[in-house]
Amino acid sequence: MLPFPLKLQPGDPIYLQIVQAVKSAVATGLMGPGDRFPAVRTIAQELGVNPNTVQKAVTELTALGLIEVHPGQGCYVAVRVPVRREAKAAAVRPLVRRLLIESRNQGMAHEDLLDLLQREHTKLDEPRH
Amino acid sequence: MLPFPLKLQPGDPIYLQIVQAVKSAVATGLMGPGDRFPAVRTIAQELGVNPNTVQKAVTELTALGLIEVHPGQGCYVAVRVPVRREAKAAAVRPLVRRLLIESRNQGMAHEDLLDLLQREHTKLDEPRH
DNA sequence: TCTCGTGTATTAGCACACATAAGACACGCA
DNA sequence: TGCGTGTCTTATGTGTGCTAATACACGAGA
């Protein structure tokens, strides 16, 4: 069984769906630093997908610093190194802007957006339904 | 001159960049309901792009309800009809989730995220640099 | 009515991304 | 040595994005 939940859906590229699933699993604490990351061929078989497609996701995740490769051994969830406050903001800012534009175009009040953000934030910590 | 600022960049599809630019312009009040929307061929020439590509953006924007087509006459920025509170939330929720996951993976404190959101929110109303 | 400027649809061709397939290599470990 | 890793290579098929060149239907105005 894969340590990150993922139901493949048409529309988005498969390798990006894998990346997003891992991101989500790490963010929710479902996977922690040092955890073993499944083998490329294992994930491929589990998802019924070509190993090359999974490999692309692994390359992406490595570039993002989310997982580390131990040559000849395997992959592990990376230990996050602390970065400058400004660097974090720069990475997140585009998403913030898109969110604000979208919510405003939906005619959503700013307070309602803050409420929604708060609800989803708490929901992220206890998704054990 | 186009009523929405846009510098084409490689990476994202052109037609999506147009859609995003219009979304942004509407959200910031740069374009308002009832405003004339430039002709397909005009935008195409202004951006140095094929009319068919712009047409694709127009189709998208029409489907999103952001602009209205008056046959044989032209396009206009649509008047937003009020929708249910829950519908708005449903439209924005995926973006909220992605933002939360991303900020957490960046090791960003929740308070810092709220601060960033607030800053970008006010900045959205006075972008007249 | 005729002309012009709209949006829209069609067909074709090219480039690129995505995904698959099958095979090969270098590495670390038992 | 053998096995399980990640990684690279080549090839093929499919779909999307973009361009190109037309053509059509519609409404407004001369």
Side-chain angles (χ1 to χ4, degrees), chain A residues 60-80:
Chain A
E60 189 91 359
L61 287 167
T62 305
L64 291 175
L66 260 154
I67 67 178
E68 288 170 353
V69 177
H70 294 203
Q73 190 172 357
C75 291
Y76 297 87
V77 177
V79 185
R80 307 297 291 170

Side-chain angles (χ1 to χ4, degrees), chain B residues 36-44 54:
Chain B
R36 188 71 164 78
F37 194 76
V40 171
R41 294 170 178 82
T42 302
I43 301 177
V54 180

Side-chain angles (χ1 to χ4, degrees), chain B residues 55 92 103:
Chain B
Q55 170 61 25
V92 173
S103 73

